């Protein structure tokens, strides 16, 4: 490889690195702005989580006033887990839009969210009915 070809290769490589860094920075900014919301108990409990997974908003319908405290707590926790699990999908969308679906960085970020906030197991009808009766 002659000096001109080597210089062109270095310039091309540096531009590629710079582009990937800009994509990663944009992905990071957009992921940080994400929120996810889930509703539970026929809409009586609504939880919004920030990109960190921390509860950013909690809404309780007046219907919960008649519920035992254990049911309220269980509904809040289950709904929070569903909202957190939705973050992984939102992060995957942002990663695909900014860094591309084949980006190693994007795959790592999505995997991190999927690991931290897995889909909660589906509840059986018996679990739901027990929770509605205030049992657990």
């Amino acid at each position: 490889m002659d000096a001109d070809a080597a210089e062109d290769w270095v310039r091309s490589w540096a531009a590629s690195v710079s582009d990937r860094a800009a994509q990663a920075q944009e992905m990071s900014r957009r992921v940080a702005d994400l929120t996810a919301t889930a509703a539970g108990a026929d809409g009586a409990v609504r939880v919004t989580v920030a990109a960190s997974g921390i509860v950013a908003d909690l809404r309780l319908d007046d219907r919960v006033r008649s519920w035992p405290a254990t049911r309220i707590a269980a509904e809040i926790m289950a709904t929070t887990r569903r909202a957190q699990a939705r973050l992984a999908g939102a992060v995957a969308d942002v990663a695909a839009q900014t860094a591309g679906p084949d980006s190693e960085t994007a795959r790592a970020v999505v995997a991190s969210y999927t690991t931290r906030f897995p889909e909660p197991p589906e509840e059986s009808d018996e679990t739901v009915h027990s929770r509605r009766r205030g049992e657990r």
Side-chain angles (χ1 to χ4, degrees):
M1 180 183 302
D2 67 8
D4 287 337
E7 192 173 307
D8 287 345
W9 181 84
V10 169
R11 264 196 297 271
S12 174
W13 177 80
S16 173
V17 169
S18 180
D19 287 347
R20 285 191 306 247
Q23 290 170 344
Q25 188 173 23
E26 176 65 8
M27 180 177 62
S28 176
R29 184 190 66 72
R30 289 181 57 189
V31 166
D33 290 342
L34 287 175
T35 61
T37 301
D42 300 324
V45 175
R46 185 174 178 88
V47 177
T48 299
V49 295
S52 62
I54 294 173
V55 174
D57 189 39
L58 171 63
R59 304 287 171 119
L60 302 175
D61 186 282
D62 284 339
R63 290 176 282 173
V64 304
R65 290 179 183 204
S66 64
W67 298 356
T70 55
R71 179 176 177 201
I72 295 170
E75 289 290 346
I76 291 170
M77 294 305 294
T79 306
T80 299
R81 285 190 291 276
R82 283 194 303 279
Q84 290 169 332
R86 289 184 179 170
L87 285 173
V91 168
D93 290 344
V94 166
Q97 294 166 7
T98 56
D102 297 329
S103 162
E104 191 172 315
T105 301
R107 284 194 303 267
V109 171
V110 172
S112 169
Y113 272 82
T114 302
T115 300
R116 287 188 299 158
F117 306 120
E119 282 291 328
E122 291 203 23
E123 296 178 323
S124 69
D125 288 341
E126 185 177 318
T127 302
V128 172
H129 292 302
S130 294
R131 196 170 58 230
R132 287 189 176 152
R133 289 192 307 264
E135 304 166 7
R136 217 359 132 127

